Amino acid sequence: MGADAASSLFNPNKNISGMSRSRRRTEVAVIGAGPAGLAAGIQLRRYGINPLVLDRDGGGGLLRNANLVENYPGFPGGIPGPELVRLFLQQAHQAGVEIIQAEVTNLDWGGGEFCIETPASQVLSPRVVIASGTTPRKLSDLGIPVNLSRRIFYEVYAMAGIVGAVIAIVGAGDAAFDYALNLARRNRVILLNRGENVRCLPLLFERASTCPEITYRRSFTVLGLETAPNGSMVVRCLGPGGEERIEVDYLVGALGREPQMNFLSADLLPKAQELEKMGKLYWVGDVRNGLCRQTSIAVGDGVRAAMQIYMCQEQVV
Ligand SMILES: Cc1cc2nc3c(=O)[nH]c(=O)nc-3n(C[C@H](O)[C@H](O)[C@H](O)COP(=O)(O)OP(=O)(O)OC[C@H]3O[C@@H](n4cnc5c(N)ncnc54)[C@H](O)[C@@H]3O)c2cc1C
C-alpha cells in the first residue's frame, strides 16, 4: 500500500487521490435508485423521514432496458420500461426524495452507524437500505480484443441511438429476447443461443419469431471475437454445420445476472445478519430476490422496508 493510500485510512475526509471529501449524515441511506430504492424513498417520505438515495447512474435501474412492461398493475396496455422509470422518478422528486448520483464504493459499520463511501463523499447513517440490484455476467472467457470492447454491451438503454446496425445478442432467456425485440425496432438482430431450448416467456419467443428483423440461431456457441479488415467485428461461432463467422456492428451479452454487493466491506459481511435483526440493515429488490426479479416485487420490498424502519423508530420513541 502506498503512503497516500495508507494515510487515507486514517483521514476519513481524504480519498486515495488526496482530494477532500464532503461528509454528511442522513436518517436513512438507500443504495440504488431503481424501483426498489425509489419505492423505499417515496414511502419513507410519507412518514416524514428524509432518506438520502445514492445511485451510480443517477436513477432508474434495470427497468430502463425493458421493452414493454405488461405485468405492472395500473397499466392495462403495458408501458415501456423507460416511461415507467420516468414516472417513478417524477413521483420520487415530487415526494421530496433526495437522490444523488454517486457510486457507493464501500459500506462499513462501526461505532453504532454505517459509513457509506463514494469517490467524493462520506455519508454516515444509522440505517441502510441496500437496493443495488444485479450485475450482468460478462463474456469474460472470450478474450475480447481491446479495440472491440466499446462495441460490447450488457444492457440496451445506452444503445437507444443506434440505428441501422447489425447486432448479435448472446443468450436465450427473457432479457435476451426482450433486448432483441427492443433493438429490432431500428436494427437487424441475430440471437445466438448455444443450447437447443429457449428459457424465455413463450410470448416473447412468439413475438421474436414473427419479427422480420430478428434471426434466431440455436445450437450456436460463440468461440471468440475478431476484428475484420474493414474494422467491423467478427463473431466466430460453432454451429450445427461447423464453424461460422458472423460480421456484426455490436454484441450484447444477456447471460444472466448476479446480486450487486461488491461494495460491502469484508468486516460488514459477518455482521450483516445481526444488523438485519436489529432493524439497521435492509435488502430490497433484485439484489435479494434470486430468480423472482420483477418490478412489482422490488417495489413491494422497498415499501415494506420503509414501513419496518418507521415501526422501529416508533418503538424507540
Ligand atoms: C430486459 C428486461 C426486461 C424486463 N421486463 C420486466 C417486466 O416486463 N416486468 C417486470 O416486472 N420486470 C421486468 N424486468 C425486471 C426489472 O427491471 C427489475 O426487477 C427491477 O428493475 C429491479 O429493481 P431494483 O430496484 O431491485 O434493481 P435495479 O433496477 O437493478 O436498480 C438497482 C440500482 O442500484 C444502482 N447501484 C448498483 N450498485 C450501486 C453502487 N455501488 N452505488 C450506487 N448505486 C448502485 C444501479 O445504478 C441501479 O440504478 C426486466 C428487466 C430487464 C433487464
Side-chain angles (χ1 to χ4, degrees), residues 53-78:
V53 183
L54 302 104
D55 194 286
R56 192 180 45 199
D57 301 334
L62 195 60
L63 194 60
R64 289 175 296 176
N65 295 280
N67 186 42
L68 186 65
V69 180
E70 292 169 290
N71 61 343
Y72 192 77
F75 300 94

mmCIF file of all heavy atoms in Angstrom, residues 53-78:
data_model
loop_
_atom_site.group_PDB
_atom_site.id
_atom_site.type_symbol
_atom_site.label_atom_id
_atom_site.label_comp_id
_atom_site.label_asym_id
_atom_site.label_seq_id
_atom_site.Cartn_x
_atom_site.Cartn_y
_atom_site.Cartn_z
ATOM 1 N N VAL A 53 -30.829 8.952 -1.158
ATOM 2 C CA VAL A 53 -30.705 7.834 -2.101
ATOM 3 C C VAL A 53 -29.479 8.082 -2.966
ATOM 4 O O VAL A 53 -29.346 9.145 -3.575
ATOM 5 C CB VAL A 53 -31.983 7.698 -2.968
ATOM 6 C CG1 VAL A 53 -31.875 6.488 -3.883
ATOM 7 C CG2 VAL A 53 -33.230 7.592 -2.097
ATOM 8 N N LEU A 54 -28.592 7.092 -3.011
ATOM 9 C CA LEU A 54 -27.366 7.229 -3.826
ATOM 10 C C LEU A 54 -27.453 6.254 -4.995
ATOM 11 O O LEU A 54 -27.735 5.061 -4.789
ATOM 12 C CB LEU A 54 -26.126 6.887 -2.999
ATOM 13 C CG LEU A 54 -25.922 7.717 -1.734
ATOM 14 C CD1 LEU A 54 -26.305 6.889 -0.510
ATOM 15 C CD2 LEU A 54 -24.475 8.146 -1.623
ATOM 16 N N ASP A 55 -27.237 6.750 -6.187
ATOM 17 C CA ASP A 55 -27.246 5.857 -7.347
ATOM 18 C C ASP A 55 -26.085 6.177 -8.287
ATOM 19 O O ASP A 55 -25.868 7.338 -8.647
ATOM 20 C CB ASP A 55 -28.563 5.940 -8.121
ATOM 21 C CG ASP A 55 -28.702 4.779 -9.087
ATOM 22 O OD1 ASP A 55 -28.018 4.774 -10.133
ATOM 23 O OD2 ASP A 55 -29.478 3.853 -8.789
ATOM 24 N N ARG A 56 -25.417 5.109 -8.668
ATOM 25 C CA ARG A 56 -24.274 5.206 -9.587
ATOM 26 C C ARG A 56 -24.634 5.944 -10.871
ATOM 27 O O ARG A 56 -23.887 6.776 -11.367
ATOM 28 C CB ARG A 56 -23.869 3.759 -9.900
ATOM 29 C CG ARG A 56 -22.599 3.522 -10.578
ATOM 30 C CD ARG A 56 -22.412 2.040 -10.774
ATOM 31 N NE ARG A 56 -23.619 1.374 -11.278
ATOM 32 C CZ ARG A 56 -23.830 0.077 -11.182
ATOM 33 N NH1 ARG A 56 -22.961 -0.696 -10.576
ATOM 34 N NH2 ARG A 56 -24.915 -0.456 -11.686
ATOM 35 N N ASP A 57 -25.804 5.637 -11.438
ATOM 36 C CA ASP A 57 -26.183 6.206 -12.740
ATOM 37 C C ASP A 57 -27.183 7.352 -12.622
ATOM 38 O O ASP A 57 -27.705 7.818 -13.627
ATOM 39 C CB ASP A 57 -26.827 5.133 -13.626
ATOM 40 C CG ASP A 57 -25.901 3.970 -13.868
ATOM 41 O OD1 ASP A 57 -24.679 4.169 -13.803
ATOM 42 O OD2 ASP A 57 -26.408 2.855 -14.107
ATOM 43 N N GLY A 58 -27.536 7.726 -11.437
ATOM 44 C CA GLY A 58 -28.498 8.810 -11.268
ATOM 45 C C GLY A 58 -29.925 8.332 -11.050
ATOM 46 O O GLY A 58 -30.778 9.095 -10.640
ATOM 47 N N GLY A 59 -30.215 7.086 -11.363
ATOM 48 C CA GLY A 59 -31.544 6.556 -11.054
ATOM 49 C C GLY A 59 -32.230 5.873 -12.213
ATOM 50 O O GLY A 59 -31.915 6.120 -13.375
ATOM 51 N N GLY A 60 -33.179 5.015 -11.889
ATOM 52 C CA GLY A 60 -33.979 4.315 -12.904
ATOM 53 C C GLY A 60 -33.764 2.820 -12.887
ATOM 54 O O GLY A 60 -34.688 2.038 -13.007
ATOM 55 N N GLY A 61 -32.496 2.422 -12.786
ATOM 56 C CA GLY A 61 -32.186 0.998 -12.652
ATOM 57 C C GLY A 61 -32.375 0.191 -13.924
ATOM 58 O O GLY A 61 -32.453 0.731 -15.045
ATOM 59 N N LEU A 62 -32.484 -1.089 -13.728
ATOM 60 C CA LEU A 62 -32.518 -2.056 -14.829
ATOM 61 C C LEU A 62 -33.771 -1.897 -15.699
ATOM 62 O O LEU A 62 -33.763 -2.221 -16.886
ATOM 63 C CB LEU A 62 -32.485 -3.466 -14.212
ATOM 64 C CG LEU A 62 -32.174 -4.633 -15.124
ATOM 65 C CD1 LEU A 62 -30.807 -4.467 -15.765
ATOM 66 C CD2 LEU A 62 -32.222 -5.929 -14.342
ATOM 67 N N LEU A 63 -34.805 -1.385 -15.091
ATOM 68 C CA LEU A 63 -36.081 -1.245 -15.797
ATOM 69 C C LEU A 63 -35.956 -0.364 -17.052
ATOM 70 O O LEU A 63 -36.763 -0.460 -17.973
ATOM 71 C CB LEU A 63 -37.112 -0.642 -14.823
ATOM 72 C CG LEU A 63 -38.575 -0.701 -15.216
ATOM 73 C CD1 LEU A 63 -39.040 -2.133 -15.405
ATOM 74 C CD2 LEU A 63 -39.427 0.008 -14.175
ATOM 75 N N ARG A 64 -34.928 0.482 -17.087
ATOM 76 C CA ARG A 64 -34.722 1.336 -18.269
ATOM 77 C C ARG A 64 -34.562 0.509 -19.536
ATOM 78 O O ARG A 64 -34.697 1.000 -20.637
ATOM 79 C CB ARG A 64 -33.454 2.195 -18.087
ATOM 80 C CG ARG A 64 -33.594 3.273 -17.057
ATOM 81 C CD ARG A 64 -32.299 3.986 -16.835
ATOM 82 N NE ARG A 64 -31.276 3.117 -16.289
ATOM 83 C CZ ARG A 64 -30.027 3.461 -16.062
ATOM 84 N NH1 ARG A 64 -29.622 4.670 -16.352
ATOM 85 N NH2 ARG A 64 -29.171 2.613 -15.548
ATOM 86 N N ASN A 65 -34.197 -0.773 -19.357
ATOM 87 C CA ASN A 65 -33.963 -1.647 -20.518
ATOM 88 C C ASN A 65 -35.223 -2.345 -21.023
ATOM 89 O O ASN A 65 -35.189 -2.975 -22.070
ATOM 90 C CB ASN A 65 -32.984 -2.761 -20.130
ATOM 91 C CG ASN A 65 -31.626 -2.213 -19.803
ATOM 92 O OD1 ASN A 65 -30.848 -1.919 -20.689
ATOM 93 N ND2 ASN A 65 -31.343 -2.043 -18.519
ATOM 94 N N ALA A 66 -36.276 -2.328 -20.230
ATOM 95 C CA ALA A 66 -37.437 -3.165 -20.566
ATOM 96 C C ALA A 66 -38.174 -2.608 -21.782
ATOM 97 O O ALA A 66 -38.524 -1.429 -21.829
ATOM 98 C CB ALA A 66 -38.366 -3.264 -19.366
ATOM 99 N N ASN A 67 -38.441 -3.478 -22.727
ATOM 100 C CA ASN A 67 -39.106 -3.091 -23.964
ATOM 101 C C ASN A 67 -40.547 -2.675 -23.691
ATOM 102 O O ASN A 67 -40.959 -1.572 -24.027
ATOM 103 C CB ASN A 67 -39.063 -4.285 -24.923
ATOM 104 C CG ASN A 67 -39.590 -3.962 -26.286
ATOM 105 O OD1 ASN A 67 -39.296 -2.895 -26.819
ATOM 106 N ND2 ASN A 67 -40.380 -4.860 -26.845
ATOM 107 N N LEU A 68 -41.298 -3.570 -23.043
ATOM 108 C CA LEU A 68 -42.699 -3.292 -22.724
ATOM 109 C C LEU A 68 -43.051 -4.036 -21.438
ATOM 110 O O LEU A 68 -42.992 -5.267 -21.403
ATOM 111 C CB LEU A 68 -43.610 -3.764 -23.874
ATOM 112 C CG LEU A 68 -45.081 -3.410 -23.747
ATOM 113 C CD1 LEU A 68 -45.312 -1.900 -23.808
ATOM 114 C CD2 LEU A 68 -45.889 -4.091 -24.855
ATOM 115 N N VAL A 69 -43.405 -3.283 -20.410
ATOM 116 C CA VAL A 69 -43.761 -3.904 -19.123
ATOM 117 C C VAL A 69 -45.267 -4.139 -19.133
ATOM 118 O O VAL A 69 -46.053 -3.190 -19.156
ATOM 119 C CB VAL A 69 -43.347 -2.991 -17.946
ATOM 120 C CG1 VAL A 69 -43.716 -3.624 -16.612
ATOM 121 C CG2 VAL A 69 -41.848 -2.698 -18.008
ATOM 122 N N GLU A 70 -45.653 -5.412 -19.118
ATOM 123 C CA GLU A 70 -47.076 -5.738 -19.252
ATOM 124 C C GLU A 70 -47.669 -6.328 -17.974
ATOM 125 O O GLU A 70 -48.837 -6.700 -17.951
ATOM 126 C CB GLU A 70 -47.264 -6.738 -20.405
ATOM 127 C CG GLU A 70 -46.958 -6.115 -21.750
ATOM 128 C CD GLU A 70 -46.870 -7.149 -22.855
ATOM 129 O OE1 GLU A 70 -45.886 -7.925 -22.854
ATOM 130 O OE2 GLU A 70 -47.766 -7.177 -23.702
ATOM 131 N N ASN A 71 -46.822 -6.442 -16.935
ATOM 132 C CA ASN A 71 -47.317 -7.083 -15.712
ATOM 133 C C ASN A 71 -47.239 -6.171 -14.496
ATOM 134 O O ASN A 71 -47.343 -6.639 -13.364
ATOM 135 C CB ASN A 71 -46.527 -8.376 -15.439
ATOM 136 C CG ASN A 71 -45.045 -8.104 -15.224
ATOM 137 O OD1 ASN A 71 -44.550 -7.029 -15.569
ATOM 138 N ND2 ASN A 71 -44.338 -9.056 -14.670
ATOM 139 N N TYR A 72 -47.040 -4.869 -14.703
ATOM 140 C CA TYR A 72 -47.032 -3.951 -13.574
ATOM 141 C C TYR A 72 -48.440 -3.376 -13.452
ATOM 142 O O TYR A 72 -48.909 -2.706 -14.383
ATOM 143 C CB TYR A 72 -45.993 -2.841 -13.769
ATOM 144 C CG TYR A 72 -45.762 -2.055 -12.499
ATOM 145 C CD1 TYR A 72 -44.980 -2.593 -11.481
ATOM 146 C CD2 TYR A 72 -46.361 -0.825 -12.297
ATOM 147 C CE1 TYR A 72 -44.788 -1.902 -10.301
ATOM 148 C CE2 TYR A 72 -46.166 -0.124 -11.114
ATOM 149 C CZ TYR A 72 -45.379 -0.668 -10.118
ATOM 150 O OH TYR A 72 -45.205 0.006 -8.943
ATOM 151 N N PRO A 73 -49.131 -3.664 -12.344
ATOM 152 C CA PRO A 73 -50.537 -3.248 -12.248
ATOM 153 C C PRO A 73 -50.706 -1.748 -12.459
ATOM 154 O O PRO A 73 -49.870 -0.944 -12.049
ATOM 155 C CB PRO A 73 -50.911 -3.643 -10.809
ATOM 156 C CG PRO A 73 -49.963 -4.741 -10.445
ATOM 157 C CD PRO A 73 -48.679 -4.407 -11.151
ATOM 158 N N GLY A 74 -51.810 -1.403 -13.109
ATOM 159 C CA GLY A 74 -52.118 0.011 -13.335
ATOM 160 C C GLY A 74 -51.921 0.429 -14.777
ATOM 161 O O GLY A 74 -52.309 1.534 -15.161
ATOM 162 N N PHE A 75 -51.298 -0.438 -15.574
ATOM 163 C CA PHE A 75 -51.047 -0.095 -16.978
ATOM 164 C C PHE A 75 -51.575 -1.228 -17.863
ATOM 165 O O PHE A 75 -50.814 -2.075 -18.335
ATOM 166 C CB PHE A 75 -49.548 0.137 -17.220
ATOM 167 C CG PHE A 75 -49.005 1.262 -16.381
ATOM 168 C CD1 PHE A 75 -48.417 0.995 -15.158
ATOM 169 C CD2 PHE A 75 -49.131 2.571 -16.804
ATOM 170 C CE1 PHE A 75 -47.943 2.030 -14.367
ATOM 171 C CE2 PHE A 75 -48.665 3.614 -16.019
ATOM 172 C CZ PHE A 75 -48.069 3.344 -14.800
ATOM 173 N N PRO A 76 -52.918 -1.263 -18.061
ATOM 174 C CA PRO A 76 -53.510 -2.409 -18.761
ATOM 175 C C PRO A 76 -52.975 -2.612 -20.174
ATOM 176 O O PRO A 76 -52.949 -3.739 -20.663
ATOM 177 C CB PRO A 76 -55.012 -2.099 -18.756
ATOM 178 C CG PRO A 76 -55.170 -0.715 -18.241
ATOM 179 C CD PRO A 76 -53.894 -0.292 -17.586
ATOM 180 N N GLY A 77 -52.519 -1.563 -20.813
ATOM 181 C CA GLY A 77 -51.986 -1.711 -22.177
ATOM 182 C C GLY A 77 -50.483 -1.943 -22.184
ATOM 183 O O GLY A 77 -49.866 -1.975 -23.245
ATOM 184 N N GLY A 78 -49.880 -2.077 -20.992
ATOM 185 C CA GLY A 78 -48.420 -2.174 -20.912
ATOM 186 C C GLY A 78 -47.810 -0.782 -20.969
ATOM 187 O O GLY A 78 -48.460 0.190 -21.378
#
